[in-house]
Structure formats: C-alpha cells, structure tokens
Amino acid sequence: MRAALIVNPHASRVTPDLTLAVERELAASGEVETLLTERPAHAAELAAEASQQHDRIFVYSGDGTYNEVVNGLERDIPLGFVPGGGTSVLPRALGLPRDPIESARLLARGAKPRRISLGRVNGRRFTFSAGLGLDAELVRRVDAMGRESGRRAGDVAFARTLLGILAERRGRFDPAMEVVGVGRVAFALVANCDPYSYAGRLPLRVAPRARFELGLDLVAPRSLRARVLPQVAWWVLAGRGQERSRHLLYVHDADELRIVCDAPLPLQVDGEDLGDVGEAHFEAERDALQVLTPG
C-alpha cells in the first residue's frame, strides 16, 4: 500500500525530528512519500495530485492544512490526520491522542476506515466547524497578531482576545443576521461534530448533539447580554442546556442553512478566515469522506 504524507513544516508542533519519527511509524503500513507544503493553499494542490497516485493520504499539520487537503481531493481515498497544530481539533475529535508519534502508530497499525460527513459553506468544505460573526472575528484578530512562519498564537492569546471583544461590546450582541426560515440571531456557530473546538485539553461543547455521521448543527444566540455570559460558559463547558434555552436558536442535523447578514461579517471555517460575507449558504455533505481512526 502506497501512502502520501503531507506535512506543513511551519505548523506549531511540527519539527524535522518529529516528522522523521512520524514517517517511521507510518512506514509500518507500507511505502510513504513525504510532501512538504511551501505556501498557502499548497496542501490542496498536493492532495489533488496525491489522491490520484496513492492509496491513502496522511496529513501531519494543523487544522488549516487539514482543511486544504479535504478541499483539494480529486477522488475518494482514506485520510489519516496526525496532530501537528496547536489545537488540532479534527484528529482529537476523531479519537486520536495529541501526541503525533502515538497517533501515527495507531493510524499505521490498527486504524479502521470510517465515513464521516463534511460541511460546506459558500462552496468551501469544512471538517469540524464554521462560524459567522463573533468566532470568525476572534480568529481574524488573533491572526492579526502575526502568524510568524505560519505559526498562530496559542490558547492564551485567544482567551485574551475574546475577553477584549466582550469588554469592547460590554457583553452585548444584538441580532445582526437572519437564519432564513428560522429567525434572527446575533452570530452563528455551525458544528459538524462535538466538540466544536478545544481550549488546551478542555473540549468546548458548543453543539453537544453534533455528530460526524449526521448533518450540521447550528447554535446561534438570538441576542446576548453580559448577565447571560456565565450561563453560556457553563453550556459550552458542560455540553448541556443549549437546546432548552430561550436565549439560543439550536438546529440539529440540518442538510442546509442559509444566513443573510444585515452587513458583511467575518466568516471562518476550521479556524481559517475567509473574509467578510453578506450571505452564507451552509450544506451538509453526508458520507463525504473516508477517515482512518483508531481500531
């Protein structure tokens, strides 16, 4: 079995020594050709070519490169994701450990193929989450601090930036968009799985009913005030209470969602800034991807 290993050498937890160790572990399942990304969007190009020439693809990187790979595939072949970013939500949500060597060992010596759904917004695929408004603004501000050599600031920077946004707005978020046919909301979080993301080792369970095998879940505050923020924090950490709240709109297992903004707002997918949009068309691609997960 011939495999390609796509590596982002600038990801937060990727080093030359670790790359060699990951290669050695993956070689237990057959020949491995390592391909290094050199620029933004290069992983999509590498994935397009590798999917035509190999039996499976492994990706050692962070979530942004995983996203590029699933958007670049030319045919349906198994993918294995090795954690190499600061957060690496996708492999962790698929049950892999944070340690890249241990993950590579599991993927090479006992992984089983599993079919999962993907999300798509305005034509761009995403693997675990997308957001319109607040969390996309958060991503943009952290990126503006500088992504030296492709490395993004860590969880502390995200936490400080989020607190800064909340302070600027005094915890107040008014309706700013329309979920067509459902209602008006302040911002929108769209999940393809649970958890939505992680803060260090802590899972952030924004949409606790979301599953890789189902459609998309939408969690969107109708409006938000400072007094409600402690309750929101509890929902995210405990993973319960969201669906029953009068403050939130929760849609489960949706095939399609359309959102129209009052004014253009930031959009992110898998932690990558896609710029400002006036409308967002979300679609679920059911059974779209073969992934390798621990046996």
Side-chain angles (χ1 to χ4, degrees):
M1 186 171 294
R2 192 161 180 260
L5 171 61
I6 296 175
V7 179
N8 177 0
H10 301 301
S12 300
R13 301 179 67 203
V14 174
T15 68
D17 288 345
L18 282 173
T19 299
L20 289 173
V22 166
E23 287 176 344
R24 284 194 296 268
E25 295 294 341
L26 295 176
S29 63
E31 179 185 352
V32 176
E33 179 185 7
T34 298
L35 308 168
L36 302 180
T37 64
E38 299 174 355
R39 59 187 180 276
H42 192 203
E45 300 171 21
L46 295 176
E49 184 175 349
S51 62
Q52 298 292 343
Q53 300 176 0
H54 297 79
D55 302 303
R56 57 181 54 185
I57 297 174
F58 297 103
V59 191
Y60 176 34
S61 69
D63 289 305
T65 305
Y66 305 147
N67 182 276
E68 289 187 16
V69 167
V70 301
N71 278 281
L73 289 178
E74 293 288 343
R75 71 181 180 96
D76 184 20
I77 67 171
L79 299 181
F81 300 99
V82 180
T87 308
S88 295
V89 176
L90 179 59
R92 294 168 70 186
L94 289 170
L96 286 158
R98 295 186 74 182
D99 180 77
I101 299 173
E102 185 180 353
S103 288
R105 185 178 301 125
L106 289 170
L107 290 172
R109 305 184 186 189
K112 294 182 178 179
R114 170 185 173 188
R115 295 208 71 90
I116 67 170
S117 300
L118 293 173
R120 185 186 290 270
V121 56
N122 294 355
R124 175 72 172 259
R125 280 176 153 181
F126 60 93
T127 62
F128 60 90
S129 72
L132 184 60
L134 175 60
D135 74 330
E137 182 179 348
L138 175 60
V139 165
R140 180 174 298 175
R141 291 197 186 191
V142 171
D143 283 351
M145 296 176 185
R147 293 182 72 167
E148 184 179 355
S149 300
R151 298 172 189 260
R152 174 184 277 160
D155 292 336
V156 172
F158 272 93
R160 286 177 176 170
T161 304
L162 177 58
L163 290 174
I165 294 172
L166 295 176
E168 286 173 18
R169 302 188 182 185
R170 299 182 180 180
R172 182 186 181 102
F173 294 83
D174 293 318
M177 62 189 73
E178 176 83 16
V179 183
V180 177
V182 183
R184 286 183 59 75
V185 296
F187 55 87
L189 309 174
V190 180
N192 191 44
C193 67
D194 174 46
Y196 187 86
S197 187
Y198 292 85
R201 297 183 178 276
L202 196 66
L204 303 180
R205 305 192 60 201
V206 169
R209 295 185 64 195
R211 296 293 182 269
F212 277 122
E213 290 77 16
L214 301 178
L216 300 173
D217 279 26
L218 167 74
V219 179
R222 299 179 189 278
S223 64
L224 205 56
R225 297 294 183 268
R227 66 180 182 277
V228 181
L229 292 178
Q231 189 176 15
V232 172
W234 164 252
W235 294 332
V236 170
L237 296 176
R240 60 178 182 270
Q242 291 93 321
E243 294 174 89
R244 298 187 300 273
S245 173
R246 62 185 175 85
H247 300 292
L248 294 177
L249 175 64
Y250 193 119
V251 178
H252 175 58
D253 194 17
D255 282 304
E256 185 176 18
L257 297 159
R258 288 185 178 272
I259 301 178
V260 179
C261 305
D262 296 351
L265 290 170
L267 173 67
Q268 68 85 17
V269 296
D270 291 340
E272 296 299 305
D273 185 358
L274 296 190
D276 288 355
V277 299
E279 297 186 18
H281 179 203
F282 293 89
E283 301 168 278
E285 293 186 52
R286 295 181 186 262
D287 300 322
L289 195 69
Q290 291 187 70
V291 296
L292 298 170
T293 58

